Amino acid sequence: PLRPGTLSSSSSSTHCTMGANESIPLVEHHADTVSAEVVTPDGQHVVSGGFDKTLRVWSLASGAEVRRLEGDTERVTAVAVMRNGLHVASASDDRTVRVWSLASGEEVHRLKGHTSTVNAVTVTPDGQHVVSGSRDKTIRVWSMASGEEVHRLDGHSLRVYAVAVTPDSQDIVSGSWDKTIRL
């Protein structure tokens, strides 16, 4: 069950709000707006992405930054973590998706193909693919093993802002500024 309250942070905040009355002081914080965050499957960490072009991994127990992932050349717009907790994907204004090792902080893959800002990213539940949606109106599916694009999906008439995958990893759902949801 979810605890009451919210998990939130911001560029001006030095606390991570965990519940209705809980607040964990952060040792450090992003240098600019926090645009995305995700909790790791083990519940031990939060990964946040920001306009400062970094991903930060925070301990939920202490609030301390345990790792900083740097390499995006523009603002980070979205983050997603694999169910096994080994990798995190970041989307960026630099038209790329990067896959990172959470253990080492190393960039595993740089996924190139979008021609505009990547607004959304998710990882399939089976961990085999990364799915991204972009301002270029496309959805792209990438192999986690090779980092290669394996599918390109067109159909939206405006930028794609949301992507999700069904629990069986078989279908992609996307949402766009064109006011449609596509399966």
Side-chain angles (χ1 to χ4, degrees):
L2 292 174
R3 291 185 279 180
T6 60
L7 171 65
S8 64
S9 58
S10 72
S11 61
S12 61
S13 176
T14 57
H15 285 75
C16 180
T17 304
M18 293 302 301
N21 296 311
E22 295 180 60
S23 182
I24 297 173
L26 298 177
V27 177
E28 296 186 36
H29 55 87
H30 281 272
D32 203 341
T33 301
V34 174
S35 54
E37 56 192 15
V38 64
V39 177
T40 58
D42 63 7
Q44 300 299 305
H45 299 94
V46 172
V47 181
S48 59
F51 285 8
D52 62 2
K53 307 173 192 172
T54 68
L55 290 176
R56 312 238 181 157
V57 182
W58 308 92
S59 166
L60 280 175
S62 69
E65 180 182 312
V66 296
R67 180 159 283 107
R68 188 175 300 185
L69 311 175
E70 298 178 300
D72 285 293
T73 60
E74 296 293 334
R75 301 181 304 180
V76 174
T77 56
V79 295
V81 68
M82 290 185 66
R83 277 192 179 177
N84 65 12
L86 297 179
H87 297 94
V88 64
S90 63
S92 174
D93 277 347
D94 69 9
R95 303 183 311 269
T96 67
V97 174
R98 295 179 200 300
V99 177
W100 307 86
S101 165
L102 279 175
S104 70
E106 296 295 318
E107 183 180 300
V108 177
H109 295 299
R110 186 174 308 171
L111 312 177
K112 295 181 179 181
H114 285 291
T115 59
S116 190
T117 296
V118 183
N119 300 308
V121 67
T122 191
V123 180
T124 57
D126 65 11
Q128 299 298 306
H129 298 95
V130 174
V131 179
S132 56
S134 171
R135 210 175 264 180
D136 68 10
K137 308 174 199 171
T138 69
I139 297 140
R140 299 186 191 233
V141 181
W142 313 86
S143 166
M144 270 299 294
S146 68
E148 297 295 318
E149 182 181 317
V150 294
H151 296 290
R152 175 186 161 146
L153 304 169
D154 296 292
H156 285 291
S157 61
L158 293 173
R159 51 185 82 166
V160 177
Y161 259 87
V163 292
V165 178
T166 56
D168 64 3
S169 299
Q170 297 302 304
D171 295 300
I172 297 168
V173 181
S174 61
S176 168
W177 271 27
D178 65 12
K179 302 176 187 172
T180 65
I181 295 173
R182 293 185 175 266
L183 176 65

